Amino acid sequence: MTEPMLVCQGCGSTADSGSFCGSCGGPLKAPEGDELVGTTLGPYRIASILGEGGMGRVYKAVHPDIGSRVAIKVLSAACADKPALVDRFFAEARAVNLI
């Protein structure tokens, strides 16, 4: 049986084993079935789930080259099929970006 991939909760780096990240020293954790944790989305590595709501999930992500941390909200597949919810999602994103 192979060990599951581990993901650093600090920077999103992956490792095959260990308790702490070799890159930043953050704790390593199994991604617990979320297919995005530990992957790259655009220029960002997905480090962990911050929260989940009716429209989707919010992830902590890290830019691997400069270390900036961001929150990325991903719309659920069920909501992505509804144009009104997609419009609301983008309106919310625009509002948050102004803050």
Side-chain angles (χ1 to χ4, degrees):
M1 184 167 129
T2 61
E3 290 289 318
M5 172 188 69
L6 302 172
V7 179
C8 175
Q9 300 298 287
C11 72
S13 293
T14 58
D16 292 328
S17 63
S19 298
F20 297 98
C21 176
S23 297
C24 76
L28 294 173
K29 183 178 174 188
E32 298 177 3
D34 190 293
E35 67 276 359
L36 288 181
V37 175
T39 66
T40 301
L41 186 60
Y44 295 97
R45 279 195 310 240
I46 307 297
S48 62
I49 297 173
L50 292 175
E52 187 171 3
M55 290 181 68
R57 289 184 173 169
V58 179
Y59 295 90
K60 173 185 175 182
V62 180
H63 192 289
D65 296 331
I66 60 175
S68 66
R69 286 163 168 67
V70 297
I72 297 177
K73 186 171 187 177
V74 177
L75 197 60
S76 70
C79 290
D81 289 338
K82 298 177 179 154
L85 290 179
V86 172
D87 291 343
R88 181 175 154 195
F89 177 81
F90 279 104
E92 179 183 299
R94 284 188 289 277
V96 168
N97 192 47
L98 292 174
I99 298 171

